[in-house]
Short mmCIF file of all heavy atoms in Angstrom, two decimals:
data_model
loop_
_atom_site.label_atom_id
_atom_site.label_comp_id
_atom_site.label_asym_id
_atom_site.label_seq_id
_atom_site.Cartn_x
_atom_site.Cartn_y
_atom_site.Cartn_z
N CYS L 4 -13.40 81.30 -30.25
CA CYS L 4 -13.27 82.39 -31.19
C CYS L 4 -12.03 83.18 -30.87
O CYS L 4 -11.81 83.63 -29.74
CB CYS L 4 -14.53 83.24 -31.14
SG CYS L 4 -14.45 84.73 -32.17
N LEU L 5 -11.13 83.41 -31.87
CA LEU L 5 -9.91 84.18 -31.63
C LEU L 5 -10.20 85.66 -31.42
O LEU L 5 -9.30 86.43 -30.98
CB LEU L 5 -8.98 83.98 -32.83
CG LEU L 5 -8.51 82.55 -33.10
CD1 LEU L 5 -7.56 82.57 -34.28
CD2 LEU L 5 -7.80 82.01 -31.86
N ILE L 6 -11.42 86.09 -31.72
CA ILE L 6 -11.75 87.52 -31.58
C ILE L 6 -12.36 87.86 -30.22
O ILE L 6 -11.88 88.73 -29.53
CB ILE L 6 -12.73 87.96 -32.71
CG1 ILE L 6 -12.07 87.72 -34.09
CG2 ILE L 6 -13.15 89.41 -32.55
CD1 ILE L 6 -13.03 87.87 -35.25
N CYS L 7 -13.39 87.11 -29.88
CA CYS L 7 -14.12 87.40 -28.60
C CYS L 7 -13.96 86.32 -27.54
O CYS L 7 -14.48 86.48 -26.45
CB CYS L 7 -15.59 87.64 -28.93
SG CYS L 7 -16.49 86.14 -29.46
N THR L 8 -13.32 85.20 -27.86
CA THR L 8 -13.04 84.05 -27.00
C THR L 8 -14.31 83.29 -26.60
O THR L 8 -14.26 82.42 -25.72
CB THR L 8 -12.28 84.49 -25.71
OG1 THR L 8 -13.14 85.25 -24.85
CG2 THR L 8 -11.00 85.27 -26.05
N HIS L 9 -15.44 83.58 -27.24
CA HIS L 9 -16.63 82.71 -27.02
C HIS L 9 -16.42 81.40 -27.74
O HIS L 9 -15.63 81.27 -28.68
CB HIS L 9 -17.89 83.36 -27.57
CG HIS L 9 -18.47 84.47 -26.70
ND1 HIS L 9 -18.12 85.80 -26.82
CD2 HIS L 9 -19.33 84.38 -25.62
CE1 HIS L 9 -18.77 86.49 -25.90
NE2 HIS L 9 -19.48 85.67 -25.16
N THR L 10 -17.14 80.37 -27.29
CA THR L 10 -17.01 79.06 -28.00
C THR L 10 -17.64 79.12 -29.31
O THR L 10 -18.64 79.86 -29.56
CB THR L 10 -17.69 77.97 -27.13
OG1 THR L 10 -19.07 78.31 -26.89
CG2 THR L 10 -16.96 77.77 -25.81
N THR L 11 -17.14 78.39 -30.23
CA THR L 11 -17.69 78.29 -31.58
C THR L 11 -17.53 76.86 -32.11
O THR L 11 -16.97 76.03 -31.44
CB THR L 11 -16.97 79.31 -32.52
OG1 THR L 11 -17.61 79.30 -33.81
CG2 THR L 11 -15.50 78.99 -32.70
N GLU L 12 -18.01 76.64 -33.30
CA GLU L 12 -17.95 75.30 -33.88
C GLU L 12 -16.50 74.90 -34.15
O GLU L 12 -15.62 75.73 -34.37
CB GLU L 12 -18.72 75.27 -35.19
CG GLU L 12 -20.18 75.61 -35.06
CD GLU L 12 -20.86 75.72 -36.38
OE1 GLU L 12 -20.25 75.26 -37.40
OE2 GLU L 12 -21.97 76.27 -36.44
N ALA L 13 -16.26 73.62 -34.14
CA ALA L 13 -14.94 73.07 -34.44
C ALA L 13 -14.52 73.49 -35.82
O ALA L 13 -15.33 73.66 -36.73
CB ALA L 13 -14.95 71.54 -34.32
N ALA L 14 -13.19 73.75 -35.96
CA ALA L 14 -12.60 74.16 -37.24
C ALA L 14 -12.80 75.63 -37.52
O ALA L 14 -12.21 76.18 -38.49
CB ALA L 14 -13.06 73.33 -38.42
N ARG L 15 -13.63 76.34 -36.74
CA ARG L 15 -13.81 77.77 -36.96
C ARG L 15 -12.89 78.55 -35.97
O ARG L 15 -12.72 78.13 -34.84
CB ARG L 15 -15.26 78.18 -36.69
CG ARG L 15 -16.24 77.75 -37.78
CD ARG L 15 -17.62 78.16 -37.44
NE ARG L 15 -17.72 79.60 -37.30
CZ ARG L 15 -18.39 80.40 -38.15
NH1 ARG L 15 -18.97 79.83 -39.24
NH2 ARG L 15 -18.48 81.70 -37.98
N THR L 16 -12.39 79.66 -36.42
CA THR L 16 -11.57 80.52 -35.58
C THR L 16 -12.30 81.82 -35.20
O THR L 16 -11.78 82.63 -34.49
CB THR L 16 -10.25 80.84 -36.25
OG1 THR L 16 -10.52 81.36 -37.55
CG2 THR L 16 -9.37 79.61 -36.37
N ALA L 17 -13.53 81.97 -35.68
CA ALA L 17 -14.36 83.10 -35.33
C ALA L 17 -15.80 82.59 -35.23
O ALA L 17 -16.20 81.76 -36.04
CB ALA L 17 -14.28 84.20 -36.41
N CYS L 18 -16.51 83.13 -34.23
CA CYS L 18 -17.90 82.66 -34.02
C CYS L 18 -18.82 83.35 -35.02
O CYS L 18 -18.45 84.28 -35.71
CB CYS L 18 -18.29 82.99 -32.58
SG CYS L 18 -18.36 84.76 -32.20
N ALA L 19 -20.07 82.91 -34.97
CA ALA L 19 -21.05 83.43 -35.92
C ALA L 19 -21.29 84.90 -35.72
O ALA L 19 -21.50 85.64 -36.69
CB ALA L 19 -22.38 82.65 -35.80
N ARG L 20 -21.28 85.36 -34.46
CA ARG L 20 -21.53 86.82 -34.20
C ARG L 20 -20.44 87.64 -34.77
O ARG L 20 -20.67 88.71 -35.37
CB ARG L 20 -21.70 87.01 -32.71
CG ARG L 20 -22.17 88.41 -32.38
CD ARG L 20 -22.30 88.60 -30.87
NE ARG L 20 -22.77 89.98 -30.58
CZ ARG L 20 -22.84 90.46 -29.33
NH1 ARG L 20 -22.40 89.72 -28.35
NH2 ARG L 20 -23.24 91.66 -29.16
N CYS L 21 -19.18 87.24 -34.61
CA CYS L 21 -18.03 88.02 -35.13
C CYS L 21 -18.02 87.96 -36.62
O CYS L 21 -17.69 88.95 -37.30
CB CYS L 21 -16.75 87.50 -34.54
SG CYS L 21 -16.49 87.85 -32.81
N GLU L 22 -18.42 86.83 -37.22
CA GLU L 22 -18.51 86.73 -38.67
C GLU L 22 -19.58 87.70 -39.18
O GLU L 22 -19.38 88.38 -40.20
CB GLU L 22 -18.92 85.32 -39.10
CG GLU L 22 -19.11 85.17 -40.61
CD GLU L 22 -19.56 83.80 -40.96
OE1 GLU L 22 -19.75 82.92 -40.09
OE2 GLU L 22 -19.76 83.52 -42.20
N HIS L 23 -20.72 87.78 -38.48
CA HIS L 23 -21.77 88.70 -38.90
C HIS L 23 -21.27 90.15 -38.83
O HIS L 23 -21.58 90.93 -39.70
CB HIS L 23 -22.95 88.50 -37.91
CG HIS L 23 -23.96 89.59 -37.93
ND1 HIS L 23 -24.66 89.91 -39.06
CD2 HIS L 23 -24.42 90.43 -36.94
CE1 HIS L 23 -25.50 90.93 -38.81
NE2 HIS L 23 -25.36 91.25 -37.56
#
Side-chain angles (χ1 to χ4, degrees):
C4 173
L5 298 180
I6 299 169
C7 68
T8 69
H9 282 93
T10 57
T11 186
E12 300 173 13
R15 287 179 61 110
T16 52
C18 65
R20 188 180 181 189
C21 290
E22 177 184 1
H23 165 60

